[in-house]
Amino acid sequence: MPGLEDLYREIILDHYKNPRNRGTLEPPAVRSEGHNPLCGDEIEVFLIVNNDIVEDIKIAGQGCSISQSSASMMSAAVKGKPVEQARALISRFKHMMSIDEEGEPDTSTPLGDLEALQGVVKFPVRIKCAVLSWNTLSEALDIAAE
Ligand code: ZN
């Protein structure tokens, strides 16, 4: 029987090989980009927010399997969700990656496939790969709120 680590590896590979919400969006969608020079990862997030709902999100960029699968999972997790819930998920994910954030995470939003990335925390150099798309999303949400 495959163990949990095998299952997690499969989920990560599935998102890497079949990335969700891949592409770009034209303005008025907002755009933000993030780089992880340590690994060479690049992420572009295109976002449409309407009535405080993440109406659409597209991801472009390239990089390692952790950065790209994390971006794919992130896009699937926040699409169609209220902005508040997306922000709660960013905070929760960063907690999971042991990045200090104020306060206790709001655990009401399920992590789903994102749990597959919790093993990354054992490899500090890869944490930046996993968190890159979340920081880029956070920036895009800030731009959309302006
Ligand atoms: Zn990377």
Side-chain angles (χ1 to χ4, degrees):
M1 229 176 93
L4 196 56
E5 294 215 352
D6 294 320
L7 177 67
Y8 283 166
R9 195 172 306 124
E10 252 173 60
I11 293 171
I12 290 169
L13 275 179
D14 175 49
H15 277 273
Y16 181 56
K17 288 180 185 162
N18 310 295
R20 320 299 197 262
N21 304 302
R22 186 92 191 155
T24 60
L25 292 169
E26 294 298 317
V30 300
R31 176 185 168 278
S32 103
E33 58 176 85
H35 299 273
N36 172 18
L38 286 177
C39 182
D41 305 317
E42 294 170 11
I43 295 284
E44 271 182 289
V45 171
F46 298 85
L47 196 68
I48 294 179
V49 172
N50 253 330
N51 299 319
D52 290 324
I53 303 280
V54 178
E55 208 168 77
D56 205 0
I57 180 167
K58 294 277 185 203
I59 307 288
Q62 54 193 349
C64 70
S65 59
I66 298 293
S67 69
Q68 302 303 309
S69 63
S70 179
S72 169
M73 290 180 202
M74 178 274 283
S75 72
V78 303
K79 189 173 173 178
K81 300 271 164 50
V83 167
E84 201 182 333
Q85 213 173 330
R87 289 207 185 269
L89 212 47
I90 293 171
S91 164
R92 196 160 173 217
F93 187 78
K94 286 188 165 186
H95 266 279
M96 187 172 86
M97 289 293 125
S98 296
I99 292 172
D100 278 331
E101 288 258 302
E102 299 271 313
E104 280 301 302
D106 170 4
T107 52
S108 60
T109 307
L111 284 170
D113 279 359
L114 293 164
E115 280 183 25
L117 288 168
Q118 65 190 355
V120 170
V121 83
K122 283 183 278 184
F123 308 96
V125 76
R126 309 311 296 279
I127 290 175
K128 280 196 163 63
C129 303
V131 172
L132 177 64
S133 59
W134 295 85
N135 286 334
T136 313
L137 169 66
S138 178
E139 224 177 272
L141 286 171
D142 288 344
I143 300 168
E146 273 168 14

